[in-house]
Amino acid sequence: MLQSTKRRLGATAVVVLLGSAPVLAAPALRYVLSMPAPQTHYFEVEMQLNGFGGRTTDVKMPVWAPGSYLVREFAKNVEGFAANAGGKNLGVTKIDKNTWRIEHQGQKNFTVRYRVYANELSVRTSFIDASHGYLNGSSVFMYPAQQQQLPSTLEVRPAQGWSKVSTSLKPAGNGPTFTFQSSNYDELADSPIEIGNHKELTFEANGTPHRIAMYGSGNYDEQRITQDFKRICETSQKVVGRNPLDRYLFIVHNLERGGGGLEHLYSTTLQVSRNAYNSEAGYMGLLGLAAHEYFHLWNVKRIRPIALGPFDYDKENYTRMLWLSEGGTEYFSNVIVQRAGFQKPQQYLDQLATGITRVENTPGNREQSAAESSFDAWIKYYRPNENSVNTGISYYDKGEVIGAVLDLMIINATKGQKSLDDVMRYLYDEYYVKQKRGFRDEEFQDAVAKIAGRRFDDFFKRSVYGTVRLDYEGTLGYAGLRLVNTTGQPESALGASVSATGGRPTVTTVLRDGSAWQGGLNVGDEILALDGMRVTDDINRYMAARPVGSTVRLLVARDGQVRELSFPLLASTAAKYRIEMADNATPEQLVVRRKWLQLPS
């Protein structure tokens, strides 16, 4: 008896007989990326679609880049979209903001061509000029609708005079020198590409080959950076204890002003100030950034909230867990830098105290929970305004301190036997390996309970999904540590940020419930005079010397009119914290401390 297998190909299931057994004629997809005039900031893309049945096929451009939770509307950069088959133009209709419908009338093989304007050099977007090209796949490559699982090949044709292409995509088995393959669109979109004449450094971490593609000049020491990145990578791998890699690529952009990174399945892009390597603070910042993006290999790319993959590239993908995915990664990245020996334990504690200070001095921390901040990332985090500090909290900042508190709670509950590392290991094995999916919010809490041997539901309800202050003092006390407020006697404060650029002091932020907030000072006000005296710089430097309760008289310009304001100065509520090790810690506290900071017995 003949048996057949069918798969949807566009609108048609196609079966071809080979001998006595019918087999599927699967569609094939090939991209060709060229850059004939890089100085104009254009990539040119050719999509070759073969074996597509039906009368029409829709192709789409993503609206966002995974890892960066903002709808960026990449279709706005597309020009010259056209399709043809056999030398004849095909009908094309744009049916919504990021979808083109191609009428191929049953012709199964056809070609799409378009240009992409790329002049935004960030880790989330794409860029090309006369010196190099860099692209994130979701901002350049389209995909056939409903065919995200389709494998593809990519041929990169560098601009004249360029000789290198660095990407984590695997080379194709044949074809031109720069030809790569991807198992599906997610992999293609998640594999950034650096093109030009950049330098590549190499090292191995636990037997896995790693590369560093260095674009731009910088005062880095090649031997030092490869050795230190190796230490970061090997220390990171110990957290979960599972190595999913067979290769990895760091793309590093050395720029006049650089900062930030974006994680990918087998790679990351980092932006660094080219002179950052000179200072210890700058270099430690780079190592912390590398640790953060590298740890995303586990936390986000494999251990992920269920909303974050497979991706819907047409719209926002909502989750309330970015406090773990991003903030938790920031917590682990700082821990990794300390575990790798780049920081002493007290230096790590100082860094954590700075994080606590930042969170507790943000008024929005009392208005928005970490879970709400995660969910609203699409409309708030990447679109801050002058009032954001009063209405929200960064899921990076809040998630980092939640991670520290939760880790200490688990270590204490298990008497030093388990930690947050074990939770991540369980999530990796159970959901990524076994169930091959992301976890739900409640499943994360279940995982914590399984490792800790007890539930922390009240903690999650109050301080993760609510805005109740984290119990820093109690949890640090588990390890014989003290959180000390070092601010001393309260000083008076204006409660506003002022930019004095160009000698015109202008209010940029007004803090909720502070002196300026209650006194009617507005963002955008230009401060002309204080108590009858001309002001040409930041007025805040005059405030600390004034007693709490004293009246301040301001002359401001607002909307072209001069106004007088008079209000009392309130005491500053800002705090500055330090974490200290108690000399009289109990044996039980020392067990927790040693486990948390990985100190010798």
Side-chain angles (χ1 to χ4, degrees), residues 108-139:
K108 296 180 178 59
N109 304 330
F110 54 95
T111 300
V112 170
R113 294 183 178 87
Y114 59 91
R115 300 185 303 277
V116 176
Y117 183 70
N119 194 26
E120 184 180 354
L121 184 54
S122 77
V123 298
R124 313 168 188 93
T125 53
S126 295
F127 177 85
I128 184 170
D129 70 359
S131 67
H132 77 129
Y134 169 76
L135 66 86
N136 279 290
S138 62
S139 65

Side-chain angles (χ1 to χ4, degrees), residues 201-215:
L201 311 177
T202 61
F203 65 93
E204 285 194 355
N206 290 328
T208 301
H210 288 60
R211 293 175 293 150
I212 308 174
M214 300 289 280
Y215 164 75

Side-chain angles (χ1 to χ4, degrees), residues 72-375:
R72 298 181 183 276
E73 308 293 17
F74 292 128
K76 68 186 178 185
N77 295 320
V78 174
E79 299 178 24
F81 187 98
N84 67 78
K88 296 182 179 180
N89 291 334
L90 300 177
V92 173
T93 304
K94 192 172 184 182
I95 62 173
D96 62 31
K97 66 179 181 179
N98 66 317
T99 309
W100 288 257
R101 178 162 292 164
I102 303 161
E103 300 174 8
H104 50 98
Q105 306 296 327
Q107 298 184 71
K108 296 180 178 59
N109 304 330
F110 54 95
T111 300
V112 170
R113 294 183 178 87
Y114 59 91
R115 300 185 303 277
V116 176
Y117 183 70
N119 194 26
E120 184 180 354
L121 184 54
S122 77
V123 298
R124 313 168 188 93
T125 53
S126 295
F127 177 85
I128 184 170
D129 70 359
S131 67
H132 77 129
Y134 169 76
L135 66 86
N136 279 290
S138 62
S139 65
V140 172
F141 299 121
M142 297 188 185
Y143 64 92
Q146 311 304 320
Q147 295 278 8
Q148 287 175 228
Q149 295 306 310
L150 188 64
S152 64
T153 58
L154 166 65
E155 178 188 345
V156 179
R157 298 175 180 174
Q160 185 175 3
W162 293 357
S163 61
K164 288 187 179 179
V165 176
S166 296
T167 179
S168 63
L169 290 170
K170 289 185 175 181
N174 49 46
T177 303
F178 299 117
T179 302
F180 307 93
Q181 58 188 345
S182 58
S183 57
N184 52 44
Y185 182 77
D186 283 348
E187 183 179 4
L188 178 67
D190 205 23
S191 303
I193 306 172
E194 178 66 30
I195 311 160
N197 292 314
H198 50 277
K199 180 175 292 187
E200 270 202 5
L201 311 177
T202 61
F203 65 93
E204 285 194 355
N206 290 328
T208 301
H210 288 60
R211 293 175 293 150
I212 308 174
M214 300 289 280
Y215 164 75
S217 60
N219 54 357
Y220 56 86
D221 181 307
E222 293 182 14
Q223 183 176 5
R224 182 187 184 193
I225 199 169
T226 52
Q227 289 177 345
D228 290 350
F229 271 41
K230 175 185 174 72
R231 284 169 62 185
I232 289 292
C233 293
E234 292 184 342
T235 305
S236 299
Q237 291 179 15
K238 292 177 182 177
V239 175
V240 179
R242 312 286 189 268
N243 183 4
L245 298 176
D246 59 3
R247 80 275 187 195
Y248 192 81
L249 171 68
F250 292 93
I251 297 175
V252 180
H253 290 158
N254 295 285
L255 309 173
E256 181 180 4
R257 293 184 181 87
L262 189 66
E263 71 275 7
H264 300 281
L265 193 62
Y266 291 98
S267 62
T268 185
T269 302
L270 312 177
Q271 288 195 346
V272 186
S273 172
R274 63 172 61 99
N275 294 317
Y277 306 91
N278 266 346
S279 72
E280 192 62 22
Y283 190 68
M284 292 303 297
L286 169 62
L287 293 183
L289 177 62
H292 180 103
E293 302 305 336
Y294 193 77
F295 191 70
H296 272 314
L297 282 174
W298 296 272
N299 195 25
V300 169
K301 303 316 297 185
R302 290 163 179 87
I303 303 168
R304 59 177 175 80
I306 201 163
L308 299 185
F311 298 114
D312 184 340
Y313 293 98
D314 275 347
K315 60 183 181 182
E316 298 88 345
N317 292 211
Y318 292 102
T319 175
R320 290 180 170 82
M321 296 294 293
L322 291 182
W323 65 266
L324 174 69
S325 298
E326 291 293 352
T329 298
E330 184 65 8
Y331 167 66
F332 272 112
S333 68
N334 292 330
V335 167
I336 287 164
V337 170
Q338 186 257 323
R339 290 179 183 177
F342 294 107
Q343 284 186 335
K344 296 183 183 301
Q346 186 59 56
Q347 290 176 298
Y348 167 70
L349 295 177
D350 291 344
Q351 187 173 48
L352 178 59
T354 298
I356 294 172
T357 299
R358 185 166 51 247
V359 167
E360 294 306 316
N361 286 341
T362 302
N365 181 43
R366 294 177 283 280
E367 300 293 327
Q368 185 187 52
S369 71
E372 289 170 334
S373 176
S374 302
F375 193 84

Side-chain angles (χ1 to χ4, degrees), residues 421-486:
D421 296 32
D422 297 281
V423 175
M424 305 306 286
R425 189 171 302 126
Y426 172 80
L427 293 171
Y428 182 95
D429 291 340
E430 178 63 25
Y431 295 104
Y432 175 67
V433 175
K434 183 179 177 182
Q435 299 195 39
K436 295 179 172 50
R437 65 171 176 86
F439 57 85
R440 299 180 178 88
D441 294 21
E442 63 272 17
E443 289 172 332
F444 175 76
Q445 294 186 47
D446 292 343
V448 171
K450 183 179 181 66
I451 298 302
R454 53 159 293 189
R455 298 197 68 85
F456 297 124
D457 293 345
D458 188 59
F459 163 78
F460 284 103
K461 180 181 178 180
R462 289 164 57 84
S463 297
V464 176
Y465 292 88
T467 58
V468 175
R469 184 181 185 272
L470 290 161
D471 183 13
Y472 306 109
E473 290 83 1
T475 50
L476 287 168
Y478 296 152
L481 303 170
R482 293 190 298 262
L483 184 69
V484 180
N485 188 338
T486 64

